[in-house]
Amino acid sequence: MTAESLSLDPVVVGVVLAMAVVTAVTKVGGIWLVRRVEVSERLEAGLSVLPGAIVIAILAPELTAGGPAEWGAAGVVLIVMWRTESILLALCAGVLGVVLFRAVV
């Protein structure tokens, strides 16, 4: 491993920092905006299910394009989530499931 392989490209560092700033501004701006808008029960109900909908929107195409390893890991996630109701544990089980199923299948 050389010193060159450990050096950081200033453009990459700048892009990462810019993405961090945009992410922070988006989060703070969203909180600021929601505090200024009267939230109806319907909007609050919609916002409460939004994170799950985003996760499904990200994972569904991956699952449809995936194979038996990904489908098996999705099954593991569902079982762990159903039994423990822990998102973190289900996430860890899903990652481990994909790794193990890909090694076996």
Side-chain angles (χ1 to χ4, degrees), residues 51-66 70-71 73-74 77-78 87 90-91 94-95 98:
I54 292 171
V55 169
I56 295 298
I58 292 170
L59 291 180
E62 294 297 324
L63 282 176
T64 57
E70 289 78 13
W71 303 333
V77 168
L78 289 175
I87 294 174
L91 177 69
V95 170
V98 166

Side-chain angles (χ1 to χ4, degrees), residues 66-87:
E70 289 78 13
W71 303 333
V76 169
V77 168
L78 289 175
I79 291 170
V80 170
M81 192 64 201
W82 173 54
R83 299 297 290 178
T84 66
E85 295 184 7
S86 169
I87 294 174

